Amino acid sequence: MIPVTKSFLPPQKEYQTILKRAWDQGWITNRGMLVKELEEKLKAYLEVPNMIATTNGTLPLQIAIKALGLKGEIITTPFSYVATTSSIVWENCTPVFVDIHPDYLTIDEGKIEAAITPKTSAILATHVFGNPCDVEKIEMVAKKHKLKVIYDAAHCFGVKYKGRSIFEYGDISTCSFHATKLFHTGEGGAIFTRDIDLHHKLFYHHNFGHKGQEDFYGLGINAKMSELQAAMGLAVFPYLEEIIDGRRKAVELYNELLSTSGPKIIKLREETSWNYSYYPLIFESEKQLVNIKEKLDKSGIHPRRYFYPSLSSLNYLKSQEVPVANSISKRIICLPLYHNLGKRDLKRICSILN
Ligand SMILES: *Cc1c(COP(=O)(O)O)cnc(C)c1O
């Protein structure tokens, strides 16, 4: 069976050696030495000044909305994982969808201004498949209208844009370290901001609002990463180059073997140093996609329809017009991609597709 992705599992002995440090301390959560060590390693690797490790990649979105005090409408993308939209609704704000760019698949920066109303408080956009949004244009629009900017950068581990970590853009960026993501801690995630005061606020929000044992800075929730999760992260960390390199090779082979007259691959934004996180293909019609997916499924190859359906059709929302996102979400599929996807398997996938 060839799934859409496979988690990188470090050698179990190495994981256990790291876990033993938690055992020896008798300390398995509440920001022990493993979480702190993982944060230091990741900050250095990603070249970011601040980072908070969290227990998943969804709570950071909710905490970001809370920390920025957002109210009313939040402009967002209909082409993302459901967590992007559900976090807005969970925080009692209203998602207002702006359609996506037909090539980059990120929010269409040219259509944002038209969606702004007196109730708009922020833009929450996704760097989908690790492809950066037009962060410069979005920053301009946000400044002009005094809006906050949050990026759901769940797919962006290691991505750089114009030489800087993509996590450096916007007021707050979030990441996911879920088992299906490029770098993972089983379940896990992170929050990033350059603003040290905001960092402090995000920090206390993620830990019940605690100020020491008996005092509180303010409201909080529990989004702490445990030592058990951090141990997984520390065991995966030394293999990052290997993981990314394996994915890069698979992507290059797909590019080489897939017939150029068929479905389209997505366009990466210029000056992006990408992380090879997904291999999306856009078909001419949904019929063609369903047809191919059936053939692949029958051969034990299981691509996934990321992201389908468009989030604007969620049953707890009023439907909104986003024709590009509706059309693309019906015609896009992510091919299997992981660190050790073998050449023979990859050739088999391509020959069926071609
Ligand atoms: C995976 C993902 C999330 C959620 O992350 P979890 O760690 O699973 O909570 C949020 N947004 C996007 C775009 C994702 O792909």
Side-chain angles (χ1 to χ4, degrees):
M1 210 240 335
I2 307 176
V4 68
T5 193
K6 269 187 197 171
S7 304
F8 174 84
L9 291 177
Q12 210 178 6
K13 274 225 173 82
E14 294 176 21
Y15 181 49
Q16 279 164 353
T17 304
I18 299 169
L19 270 184
K20 185 167 181 305
R21 293 170 53 201
W23 253 249
D24 291 347
Q25 298 271 321
W27 189 320
I28 57 172
T29 189
N30 283 0
R31 298 189 56 79
M33 64 181 174
L34 299 184
V35 163
K36 287 179 184 161
E37 185 178 322
L38 182 65
E39 281 179 348
E40 289 314 310
K41 284 197 160 139
L42 292 181
K43 279 196 295 186
Y45 179 86
L46 298 166
E47 299 178 340
V48 294
N50 306 307
M51 159 184 168
I52 304 163
T54 55
T55 194
N56 60 46
T58 301
L59 281 165
L61 289 167
Q62 295 172 204
I63 290 172
I65 293 168
K66 188 76 83 189
L68 293 170
L70 303 182
K71 297 251 155 26
E73 296 172 358
I74 299 181
I75 288 176
T76 190
T77 173
F79 190 69
S80 182
Y81 183 60
V82 67
T84 316
T85 301
S86 63
S87 300
I88 296 173
V89 179
W90 198 265
E91 292 303 325
N92 292 315
C93 295
T94 306
V96 172
F97 294 105
V98 164
D99 213 347
I100 57 170
H101 191 287
D103 298 324
Y104 298 114
L105 311 189
T106 47
I107 195 165
D108 191 334
E109 61 281 356
K111 293 183 178 160
I112 292 176
E113 269 199 293
I116 296 174
T117 74
K119 288 189 194 150
T120 309
S121 61
I123 300 164
L124 167 46
T126 301
H127 304 303
V128 72
F129 305 133
N131 198 17
C133 298
D134 187 339
V135 290
E136 280 115 2
K137 179 76 199 279
I138 291 173
E139 189 178 333
M140 255 176 52
V141 173
K143 272 215 174 110
K144 185 170 155 199
H145 296 273
K146 298 198 169 54
L147 305 177
K148 301 291 184 188
V149 179
I150 303 170
Y151 287 114
D152 182 340
H155 303 164
C156 294
F157 191 90
V159 170
K160 291 206 161 147
Y161 177 66
K162 297 199 169 168
R164 275 169 71 199
S165 167
I166 195 68
F167 300 138
E168 292 261 67
Y169 295 87
D171 292 291
I172 297 173
S173 291
T174 65
C175 193
S176 167
F177 303 157
H178 184 260
T180 55
K181 305 296 204 280
L182 187 149
F183 171 77
H184 79 92
T185 57
E187 292 271 0
I191 322 181
F192 304 87
T193 181
R194 292 178 313 279
D195 177 336
I196 193 71
D197 294 328
L198 188 54
H199 172 74
H200 176 248
K201 194 168 186 190
L202 291 165
F203 187 88
Y204 79 66
H205 274 332
H206 108 293
N207 185 26
F208 301 102
H210 269 297
K211 178 185 191 178
Q213 286 187 352
E214 295 168 8
D215 199 4
F216 295 90
Y217 289 106
L219 183 66
I221 195 168
N222 180 9
K224 289 182 281 51
M225 178 181 278
S226 77
E227 293 292 275
L228 311 178
Q229 293 169 289
M232 177 59 86
L234 288 168
V236 173
F237 184 80
Y239 295 93
L240 264 173
E241 292 312 315
E242 192 179 306
I243 293 166
I244 295 172
D245 205 51
R247 288 168 163 274
R248 181 179 55 76
K249 287 194 178 118
V251 165
E252 284 170 359
L253 203 57
Y254 271 135
N255 287 346
E256 187 189 315
L257 296 180
L258 283 177
S259 128
T260 48
S261 61
K264 271 199 318 176
I265 59 176
I266 66 163
K267 187 170 163 194
L268 284 178
R269 197 169 297 281
E270 301 71 15
E271 297 189 71
T272 299
S273 157
W274 192 48
N275 62 358
Y276 308 95
S277 46
Y278 295 86
Y279 199 91
L281 272 186
I282 305 170
F283 288 82
E284 291 217 329
S285 68
E286 184 174 21
K287 203 169 148 219
Q288 197 184 30
L289 177 149
V290 169
N291 207 341
I292 288 279
K293 185 167 185 297
E294 235 166 57
K295 289 213 171 88
L296 289 168
D297 280 332
K298 267 193 199 136
S299 315
I301 300 159
H302 303 291
R304 283 283 297 270
R305 295 185 73 175
Y306 290 148
F307 290 99
Y308 173 80
S310 157
L311 295 173
S312 58
S313 64
L314 282 169
N315 63 7
Y316 47 83
L317 297 176
K318 270 195 267 170
S319 82
Q320 297 173 38
E321 283 294 303
V322 279
V324 180
N326 279 337
S327 165
I328 285 181
S329 59
K330 283 183 189 139
R331 296 184 288 117
I332 193 163
I333 207 164
C334 282
L335 296 184
L337 180 60
Y338 39 90
H339 61 285
N340 62 352
L341 176 59
K343 242 188 185 167
R344 271 184 48 204
D345 286 339
L346 210 143
K347 283 183 177 165
R348 199 155 67 84
I349 299 168
C350 291
S351 76
I352 295 172
L353 274 159
N354 286 339

